[in-house]
Amino acid sequence: MDDTGKVTRPAYIEGDKVVLLTATIRKDSTTVEKTFIITVKKLEQSAQEKVDADAAWLTDVLILNGNSSLNNIISHLSLPIVGENRSKITWASSDTNIIAVDGTVTRLSYI
């Protein structure tokens, strides 16, 4: 906030900010100060902040769907298409015959 009362809201990642606002009131040789405690609310998340948050949310544990590790996939994966912050998630596979973009795992049978 500047001396004119203009409020600049903090970025989402900075969070809400508490500001002490002090008015000095003068008349001749008499002065009184009055302080206000105000909270300036953070901005809404930007699109980039939402995408970054969803990228952090998208973890191995989330997609494993009961498989023990990324190096030991024996059943279907859980591949969300929408993040916590409503970001759209699309998937690609280097071999859709083994892992489809919907998370379906096809294990080759041994003869």
Side-chain angles (χ1 to χ4, degrees):
M1 179 178 299
D2 68 16
D3 292 342
T4 67
K6 178 183 173 190
V7 173
T8 302
R9 291 175 63 191
Y12 179 84
I13 59 173
E14 295 176 28
D16 298 340
K17 297 291 182 180
V18 175
V19 178
L20 295 178
L21 182 63
T22 304
T24 303
I25 304 115
R26 289 188 182 95
K27 176 70 174 170
D28 300 324
S29 63
T30 303
T31 302
V32 173
E33 287 189 347
K34 184 168 184 173
T35 301
F36 301 86
I37 301 171
I38 62 173
T39 301
V40 180
K41 302 303 275 182
K42 65 188 174 192
L43 293 167
E44 297 299 318
Q45 275 183 305
S46 69
Q48 184 64 57
E49 288 169 327
K50 288 179 182 182
V51 168
D52 290 345
D54 281 342
W57 166 79
L58 191 59
T59 63
D60 298 1
V61 173
L62 184 68
I63 69 170
L64 282 173
N65 196 33
N67 289 285
S68 62
S69 75
L70 293 177
N71 295 322
N72 189 28
I73 302 299
I74 58 174
S75 64
H76 300 319
L77 299 170
S78 175
L79 305 181
I81 58 172
V82 177
E84 265 188 330
N85 295 284
R86 308 304 298 159
S87 300
K88 180 180 177 184
I89 302 170
T90 57
W91 296 89
S93 172
S94 63
D95 190 340
T96 55
N97 292 319
I98 303 294
I99 301 178
V101 296
D102 68 356
T104 302
V105 174
T106 304
R107 296 180 67 202
L108 301 176
S109 58
Y110 293 97
I111 299 175

